[in-house]
Amino acid sequence: MDKIIISDKLSEEGIKILKDAGFTVDCKYNLSAEELKKIIANYRGIVIRSQTHLTRQIIESAHNLKVIGRAGVGLDNVDIEAATKKGIIVMNAPGGNTISTCEQTFALMLAAARNIPAAYRSLKDRKWERSKFKGVELYSKILGVIGFGRIGKEVSKRALSFGMQILVYDPFISGDIAERAGVKLVDLKQLLKQADFVTVHTPLTEETKNLISDKALALMKPKAVIINCARGGVVDEDALYRALKEKKIGQAALDVFSKEPPLDSKLLELDNVVVTPHLGASTEEAQVNVAIEIAHCVKDALLGKAIRNAANYVQIEPEVYKVIGPYFDLCEKMGKFIFQLIEGRVKNIKVSFLGEISSYKVDVLTAAFVKGFLSDMLEEQNVNYINALEIAKERGVKVEQIKIQEEEEYVNSVRVKVATDKKEQVLEGTLFANKEARFVKMNDIYIEVAPSQHMLVINNQDKPGVIGFLGTVLGAHKINIAGMSLGRSAPKKVALTILNLDSPLSEEAVKEIQTNSNIVSLKGVKL
Ligand code: NAD
Ligand code: MLT
């Protein structure tokens, strides 16, 4: 049975799910990058939290790894691009710690507003400094929420009940969503200028790195409080230090840091900073939630049952799967088939979806075609649905997906054009009764071929006797013909003959068929 390594502490409930499913689970915490790199090839799955950094170097050594499961939201500790290239699914458990992180945001906001950490320390030092710790109410203040996803929304809900007004900056949500949630969508500048409290809830990406910079901090009110329970790098810590030291803003409340633990951070020296050691998701409930969620995701992916919460794979809803699911095999077979027929260097591939199927998200079917197309060419590289498009791109093959709503001869069909530096090859396929794969057109010629393991594709002069000749030669070589499809663009021109064979074509049979001057070309295809 597959082996899974858990490299950051995970709740027992999650470990049990994996063990009960029959996996061998090794819990090895606090490994160095070198140690993990050495052993990762032994595992099919790895479950991490935020401590393990799955770098490109580690992932490149993960020769048998199929799934990376992150018990939590942030995937900034995983090189997703490297994983995608290697065909490894990267999954997270996004919902389980939303409430905990939202409540931590509130805890920090209130702690800053009421000077709780400083007041606590003062009283513990046997001082009674009531006037020193006069705070502010949250009521009627403006809260700026940057990032209106799961956590941002929960924070906003609670802030509304505190009587706060909420401004939101999130370029990926619509005004409608904001309106329904009772918040106002504004641009970042407006938010920073008007808010009394600013809370960040975006992932750490190229765009959000140092989003709160010197320039952004300069726009904020002199008493404003900034809260960060998202990721350290979203707030530029040097800029924040300057703004707090020079009292350009009031306070900061931080749960996350660009380098963790931040033991040498200058921010820890300041009095107007409230800090916690990345505790957003550290509640009993959240840890159990994320452990259970990720264990189910990893288990189902490794057992080939379902792929959920994947960052590098399109999720397919069960209703959508019902419609597009049967096309996976067709598309992959079309890819394998056409690859064996092309000549020259591939320049581009156009995959068109015609009819009703075009109204679905069919990117995975395009990936299935490309997987089939590349898998013989790159046998050693383990091409799969995750990395197929990436590998094509890397090799300079342009893959274009086209959707055509109008059906042509069939209710649904998939048409593929592969252009090489020599010529173009076109193949169209469909499903009969929504389950039987058929190739129905090749270049301009109508056919009706059920793809099978061994096939023979022949271009021949459309003259009497050719089919009889083929039957005789194959019979003499003890190769049984299981099916046959004939097609031609016009009488007496070059015709297309595709045979399904019960056994592979031998070299001798090929040589003998080629002796007939009516045979223009022939190619054995194996699916
Ligand atoms: P989410 O994906 O539901 O929401 C993120 C939101 O950020 C989305 O709405 C997105 O549109 C928005 N966004 C993306 N780029 C943006 C940009 N440039 N400007 C403004 N908005 C942008 O994620 P979530 O579950 O709400 O979590 C948010 C972040 O919190 C996570 O990425 C994770 O890093 C962090 N987190 C921290 C802890 C903790 O322990 N402190 C716990 C959980 C999550
Ligand atoms: C997350 O992204 O889910 C959090 O940072 C929580 C964590 O894993 O510690």
Side-chain angles (χ1 to χ4, degrees), residues 383-394:
V383 186
N384 61 21
Y385 299 134
I386 315 285
N387 60 10
L389 293 171
E390 192 62 37
I391 293 178
K393 195 163 130 201
E394 222 173 49

Side-chain angles (χ1 to χ4, degrees), residues 110 199 305 326 479:
L110 284 164
T199 182
K305 283 192 184 161
I479 301 168

Side-chain angles (χ1 to χ4, degrees), residues 73-74 76 94 97-98 101 146-152 169-173 201-205 207-208 211 229-231 255-256 278-281:
V73 186
D76 42 305
N97 60 28
T98 300
T101 311
I146 302 178
F148 200 59
R150 283 173 293 262
I151 300 170
Y169 169 66
D170 187 327
F172 306 107
I173 69 150
H201 299 289
T202 67
L204 178 63
T205 62
E207 289 77 45
T208 61
L211 187 71
C229 279
R231 277 295 177 271
D255 183 48
V256 286
H278 201 147
L279 294 182

